[in-house]
Amino acid sequence: MFVESLALMLLGGSIAAADKPPAVENLRVEAPPPEKLEPYVSPSEWAKVCKPWDDWEKSGPPFKITSDVYYVGTCGITALLVETDSGLVLIDVGTELGGADVWFNVFRVGHDVKQIKFILYSHEHFDHIGGVASMQLKSGAPVLSSPEAVSVFRTGKDNPNDPQAGLHKPMGKVANVIPVSPGTPVHFGGIAFTPIATPGHTPGALTWQWKSCDGTDCKTIVYADSMSPVSRDDYKFSDHPEYVAEYREGIARIAALECDILLTPHPSASFMVQRAQTGSLEGGMTCEDYAAAVTRRLDARLEREAGVNQ
């Protein structure tokens, strides 16, 4: 497919020294031999280690979600590894420091990060993509980005239209970034990954939908973006009616999705810890439930702003 061919060309490129992320103290630089690593655990075992709304950089074990999808993130930030016929796809990396745990967890499920062919993401904030530049250096994998987030990856700086612009320190620059068109599936390794525009928390946020199949038994997975109406102190969503309209359109897209397994960048936003305690993440909160919860938070935020303006 087009994206696969383009990636093969880009993977041969080098990343300039100026684009390398800043050094992080105590960052792990060598992976131990696979035989020295603990294997992945069950969802219920993961839930014994990780708690609701846990620390973003608290180390946690990887676990299998479906036959070809693994949770490889920290306790507080989701990262997903998808096995395909043509290599691995990584979705989100977490913070720069948390990305080191993602790297180790990829080894723990039996893979090398150099097998990662693409890096996808939920939204362009440091707690989810701060480790992308470092992961790209390790893997050589390009990032697939919405058009609105391309500059954030390439410069490491917030989009000025981001409700949280100015609150975050610059991230490491990402050299290989491929823009994708929301709504148009990206076909890779026998799987169609569909990016869905869900702006609101950030302008370039994406939700991803794909099918995970074990033989003829297929489950539709939706990795829904955070979508929470959080901003810097001087930002008012009510001052940006066009953005709010786009925000609501994105929420409606999530509500309408086929959705057997709902996953989110912050595990507790969709009760992933509580669901994991049952031994499976299938069922529980639906995409429609999630969209309704986001709508309530957005409506409450707008009501508070209206009260302040009166």
Side-chain angles (χ1 to χ4, degrees):
M1 296 295 177
F2 169 74
V3 173
E4 292 179 78
S5 301
L6 183 57
L8 291 175
M9 292 187 288
L10 290 174
L11 289 175
S14 61
I15 300 176
D19 290 334
K20 293 183 179 180
V24 177
E25 188 176 357
N26 298 324
L27 183 65
R28 296 165 178 155
V29 293
E30 292 185 3
E35 62 271 15
K36 298 295 184 181
L37 291 169
E38 294 290 332
Y40 63 86
V41 301
S42 68
S44 57
E45 289 173 318
W46 173 78
K48 292 178 181 178
V49 176
C50 298
K51 309 302 179 186
W53 300 111
D54 224 333
D55 187 89
W56 291 349
E57 294 174 339
K58 177 182 173 182
S59 298
F63 68 92
K64 181 177 280 193
I65 298 173
T66 64
S67 61
D68 58 2
V69 180
Y70 295 85
Y71 185 101
V72 293
T74 60
C75 283
I77 296 291
T78 300
L80 303 173
L81 189 71
V82 184
E83 297 172 327
T84 82
D85 293 340
S86 301
L88 305 174
V89 174
L90 180 64
I91 310 178
D92 276 343
V93 182
T95 66
E96 173 69 16
L97 188 59
D101 287 285
V102 173
W103 181 33
F104 269 66
N105 283 341
V106 171
F107 277 98
R108 287 182 64 173
V109 302
H111 295 294
D112 190 307
V113 294
K114 293 181 180 178
Q115 296 171 285
I116 297 171
K117 303 304 181 184
F118 294 103
I119 299 172
L120 315 183
Y121 74 101
S122 55
H123 66 266
E124 62 277 28
H125 280 164
F126 77 98
D127 48 332
H128 305 285
I129 67 165
V132 167
S134 181
M135 185 63 72
Q136 186 174 90
L137 288 171
K138 295 181 179 74
S139 66
V143 173
L144 303 188
S145 169
S146 70
E148 293 80 5
V150 168
S151 65
V152 177
F153 281 106
R154 290 179 175 166
T155 67
K157 298 178 182 179
D158 291 338
N159 184 325
N161 295 322
D162 188 328
Q164 296 184 45
L167 295 180
H168 311 132
K169 294 181 180 179
M171 299 173 285
K173 298 176 183 178
V174 178
N176 289 350
V177 184
I178 303 174
V180 296
S181 299
T184 301
V186 175
H187 295 270
F188 178 74
I191 298 177
F193 297 89
T194 301
I196 299 151
T198 47
H201 191 67
T202 66
L206 292 175
T207 287
W208 292 89
Q209 182 191 48
W210 73 97
K211 288 187 180 295
S212 172
C213 296
D214 185 4
T216 59
D217 181 20
C218 295
K219 304 296 181 185
T220 300
I221 296 179
V222 172
Y223 186 51
D225 185 48
S226 295
M227 299 293 286
S228 55
V230 180
S231 71
R232 61 183 186 271
D233 290 343
D234 65 346
Y235 183 94
K236 289 184 173 60
F237 285 91
S238 52
D239 289 341
H240 306 275
E242 291 183 1
Y243 191 64
V244 171
E246 293 173 359
Y247 200 152
R248 293 193 186 280
E249 289 171 2
I251 295 172
R253 292 185 192 108
I254 290 179
L257 292 175
E258 179 185 351
C259 182
D260 295 317
I261 300 176
L262 171 66
L263 306 172
T264 48
H266 292 275
S268 290
S270 57
F271 303 102
M272 286 172 60
V273 176
Q274 293 90 330
R275 290 154 60 202
Q277 290 171 347
T278 70
S280 172
L281 290 180
E282 187 175 353
M285 193 177 209
T286 66
C287 282
E288 190 173 8
D289 293 336
Y290 183 71
V294 172
T295 297
R296 287 193 293 271
R297 290 198 293 272
L298 177 58
D299 288 345
R301 171 64 187 260
L302 292 171
E303 288 174 6
R304 289 196 300 273
E305 291 181 2
V308 170
N309 292 332
Q310 288 176 355

